[in-house]
Amino acid sequence: MGEKVPLRTKKEVQDDSIMGVGTDPFRKTLQGLINSLADKQQQHSLEADPLPFQCLARYPSLCQGVKFVDVDYMQLMIKKCEIIERTDQIRQLLTNAQFPSPGDLIALRSDQYLALGCDLRDVEKLSKVLAEGLDLADCLVLCTAEVSITYMDVQAADALIRWAATLNHARFCLLEQFFPDGPDHPFAKTMIEHFDKLRTPLRGIDKYPSLQHQRQRYLGSGWDSVAIRSLWDLWADPQFLGSGERVGLDRVEPFDEWEEFVLFASHYFILVAAKGAHHEASSNVIGPHRSNRTVHSKEEETVSGASTEPLSLVLQYEDNSKGRGRRRFGAVFKTADDLVGHHGGQGPQSRLDSTDLYSGGANDKVFPATPVAPVTSRMCHSITSLDKQRSLLVGGRTSPGNAMGDCWLHHKQSWERVQDLPSPRYRHCAAQVFTKQDHPGVLVSGGKDMHGLVLEDYIIWSTESGWQPVQVIGASPRPRFGASMAASDRTSGILLGGMTEDGFILSECWRWSIGMDDGTVTIRFWDASPPKVLSSELDVFLARFGASIESSPLGLLLIGGVSDRGLIPHVSEIMLLRSDTCKLSTSGAQMRDTFQPERAHLVCHGPRPLLVGHSVTTVDTGKLLILGGGAVCFSFGAYWNMGVWTVQNSIDISTSRWRLCTLPEAVLPSRPVVAAVAARNVDRESRLRDPRPRALSRVRLASRKAFDTIVTKASPVIIEGLDIGSCTRLWTEDYLRDNVGADRQVVVHEASTDEMNFQAKNFRYVTKAFGDFLDQITEGQRQYLRSLASEKPAAQPAQLIRDFPEIAEDFTLPPELALVIEQAHSSPLRISGPVALWLHYDVMANVLCQIRGTKRLILYPPSDVTRLHFPAGASSSVLSHGARQNLANTHPCEAVLHAGDVLYIPPCWPHTALPTAGVSVAVNVFFRNLPSGYATGKDVYGNRDLHAYEKGRADVDKIARAFKGLPTDIGKFYLERLAEELMEKARRFGSTE
């Protein structure tokens, strides 16, 4: 009997791939049990739902001599048997299958499978029915219950467990829910409310709420040995699930709901009980709980040895009215002395681009802030204060496969875009630091990129230098994402926890310090982890993912997240980290500076917060704010933190309350948000003069058909995750110089300004050595190479494989782009320094494959062409890349490409491009996506207009000449009528009328 899960609303749909992997330990446990019992004697397995057929299909050798017995209500068994009888794929797994007449308690007999119609609450009847079809005295029996007997009356379930223990050689494998931190935990409350609402309450969980209760339940029912572990404990055990199995998760689908998975897996357990021969081996299939394997060292002790009074904290709650303020995985920043902004994150319906304002002043009647610049919706980003007036927003993501690289500076209630990240990222760490020049900056470490790779670099941003790499001196922590980092002073701090690429939560704790060495920013790390375990009850909760570290007047506080041991108990959710010195042996010869965790005593006035996806900031003296947070609790529904918690020392409680700002009607905004309101109510003419570009969607392709569908829809998209060869790794400037040849002559565009204009011809064509060209663009000179055919360049299009055979094999198009391969026209190599390409359109479709550097493109739909100043018969506009004049009613889109991205550009979409970080290297592949209609004759660049347009222009000229000799007013009268008639046909073109 399996668990019944209702349909979920779109906003609550959880990534099913992780839940499948999450419950996979149950399948693996069953496989291990069957394997441990193999070749001993005939086995019978009391199974549930599709599991027998999955085992028969996947593990036929292990199922030799095994008979699966499915027990359920008779009406359900009849329906199951009907499905089996009419499904060839299932029936073929069974030999000698018989479907007895109605009324028989055995609904299906076969050599491999027996279906029994029986109420499990009637143990006496169950024994009788089993005796008709099996000789249990000489069999090994494996009973499985996958979230089923918990729905039974507790007394009946206990009776069933006791009956199973009377079998001579039996094993019982159970998957069920429990309360790892009591029924008041937000996930537990949501789970219980869900099942109560379905009128299928979890009856057993109240009497047996913990793992210890469940263990005693089975031992007290006559079982010889019992092993029990939570799903998360099994998942996090490398001896049970290897790294390859974890890494495989992202290959199924990019995943980032780790906290929600930990909450889910922490509320389910697997139990293996055994009776009779070899019971120890069977119970060891899942191994002991990791807490039972903790090693304690008596030689480890703190030098200080001083006992301190536990920090007592009061959590004062203020409810947000009307369900407002619901967001998780946002970022918090200060906008004024008594205003805090909570920006972005995941909302109830979608990711957010807005900002909630919270006020601690006497007058909380202020307007919520809104982004002034187009800071698009995102989550898992960071916002770090530079000083009292400025904060830096870094990266984030939309979907787990779409990391973002844009950065924004918040100053005086407005956002200003600054230099993009060298590599897009999310789930990174950020902390405020100061350089030797005493300039504030933001140190960023780790995170994940759009390909799911865990980043190991360290970078720093400042208003003076933009982004700079940080050189690691000495030991370097392992790459991680979702870690916690905070500055303890102006140049040093702490890095704690995080997760590795294969899903392990790290227990490491590092001190770090930045410095300057000959103009290079450096960082050094010292291991600050408590040596082994000084206090196992607390140290295990230092290994956290998604936690917050806040340096406050109260001390260094570690708040929330999930841990290596799963869900963090309420008593350990907020801990104080004290700097201490430990000796590693009784002789004291070796010393280490560490951070020792101390549990804070919490007094919560209001509901318990779910400290997942939350944001924390320090306000006033000794106060902290906890904003937002929540989780999708598997299929049970979403839980949201519905207010704000002010955290303060219990001995110095302030009466002031922080709360979400309201929006009073017909009241002028107060001064702190004038800029935000002005931007929100910007006049229409200004918006039309400077339309904001819409960010293009990012997608991943599962097949050729998926790309063909994109081409049919005729809208540009950014495709990520494609394998375009080793070029993204190899094509550095040195590699290109060495392989193409430094002396090879190439024709390049040499510009006199930052923006080339084809109509104005503000550039010149120069032939120079390829090596000189690379050196010059590396130095920042405004030059651009669009490769031409190596032979007869005026007569044939560029082909990478022919023009650059030395490097062509490094670049490949994957099978998903088979249409491009089959209909390819040309494949020019593009290498550019810091200069913008003119606004133009191509008549052929193309894919722009970004190989090195970062490039920003602005694209316009074909319907905008009459507003973009294209001269008649020209495919290049008179406008420059940065032009904003006379662009009323246009609809621009923005694409920011990073190495490995592929941009599909449909025909006739005007676009312009500008490298934004480093030298840009790309390959264009133009292809024919129309069945016919292309211009006859040469088309070297793939932008010659269609034959119908070229003929139409000739016909227009012919029509105009036909009116020659008439009075001017009459000629214009008829030409304008014809023009209107042509426009009407254009408006109706493609309609069914």
Side-chain angles (χ1 to χ4, degrees), residues 429 431 484-489 492-496 508-513 525 528 542 549 556 577 594-595:
C429 297
S484 305
M485 184 168 73
S488 53
D489 56 39
S492 60
I494 180 175
L495 175 67
L496 180 71
E508 303 168 352
C509 180
W510 296 84
R511 290 180 181 270
W512 53 263
S513 178
F525 288 93
L542 280 177
I549 291 186
L556 200 59
L577 300 180
T594 67
F595 285 98

Side-chain angles (χ1 to χ4, degrees), residues 294-422:
T294 302
V295 178
H296 298 265
S297 174
K298 294 182 180 179
E299 293 185 349
E300 297 165 352
E301 59 183 58
T302 60
V303 170
S304 63
S307 60
T308 58
E309 289 294 325
L311 178 66
S312 181
L313 298 177
V314 173
L315 277 66
Q316 194 73 40
Y317 177 74
E318 188 73 22
D319 189 59
N320 295 335
S321 61
K322 301 179 181 179
R324 297 168 57 231
R326 290 182 293 173
R327 60 180 75 214
R328 59 183 190 270
F329 299 105
V332 64
F333 64 104
K334 296 176 183 177
T335 67
D337 290 339
D338 62 346
L339 287 175
V340 167
H342 192 203
H343 174 79
Q346 176 68 46
Q349 301 292 338
S350 62
R351 287 176 289 272
L352 304 172
D353 62 0
S354 59
T355 303
D356 286 328
L357 275 186
Y358 290 81
S359 171
N363 177 19
D364 65 329
K365 301 247 179 222
V366 295
F367 284 81
T370 57
V372 173
V375 184
T376 56
S377 59
R378 68 192 63 213
M379 59 190 293
C380 300
H381 52 296
S382 66
I383 302 181
T384 309
S385 294
L386 291 166
D387 49 42
K388 290 184 177 181
Q389 300 295 327
R390 300 177 301 163
S391 299
L392 182 71
L393 183 153
V394 175
R397 69 167 177 86
T398 53
S399 65
N402 184 17
M404 308 179 79
D406 55 330
C407 302
W408 300 83
L409 186 66
H410 186 270
H411 181 53
K412 294 182 179 179
Q413 305 308 313
S414 64
W415 294 99
E416 174 191 353
R417 186 163 182 171
V418 294
Q419 182 187 7
D420 286 359
L421 283 164

